[in-house]
Amino acid sequence: MWKKISVQLYALREECAAVFPEVLRELASIGYRGVQFAGFHGYDPALLKFVLAETGLRVSGLHYGGDEMLKDPERLISEAKMFDMPDIVCAGLGGGHQNRKDIGR
C-alpha cells in the first residue's frame, strides 16, 4: 500500500470546475500523491487520467452521491475501472432514500 497523503477534491470543487488539469498539476507539485475525485466538473475523465499519469498522482477514491449511483451505476463502474479503483465512495443517499423514522436513534 502506498502511504502518502491524498486530497479530497470536493474541498477544491470550484477550482476544479474552473481549471481541473492545473489543479491536479499544482497538487502534485506541492507534494500530494493522490486525489479522491468528487465529480469531473465537465472534464473528460480520460483527460484527467492523462494528467494523473503525467504528474504521478494516484486515485485514492471516487466520491459519488447516492442519487447518481442509483441513476447511472454502469457509468460509475466504468469510471472506477478506468481509474483502477476497486471501490466507490457514496457521499450520501439523499433525502428521498432515507428512513426518517430511524434518524437520531
Side-chain angles (χ1 to χ4, degrees), residues 29-102:
S29 77
I30 61 175
Y32 284 100
R33 294 292 163 241
V35 296
Q36 182 186 41
F37 282 107
F40 302 114
H41 307 285
Y43 285 86
D44 181 349
L47 168 65
L48 300 177
K49 184 175 179 171
F50 174 82
V51 176
L52 294 174
E54 169 193 303
T55 61
L57 286 170
R58 295 178 66 174
V59 178
S60 60
L62 297 173
H63 174 152
Y64 295 101
D67 287 338
E68 188 175 14
M69 292 179 82
L70 293 170
K71 287 179 185 172
D72 197 1
E74 293 304 319
R75 179 180 58 83
L76 278 54
I77 292 167
S78 175
E79 291 169 357
K81 287 179 180 179
M82 174 188 293
F83 290 105
D84 298 320
M85 290 304 309
D87 303 308
I88 295 173
V89 177
C90 180
L93 295 178
H97 304 289
Q98 296 176 2
N99 183 346
R100 300 243 180 243
K101 294 184 291 185
D102 292 334

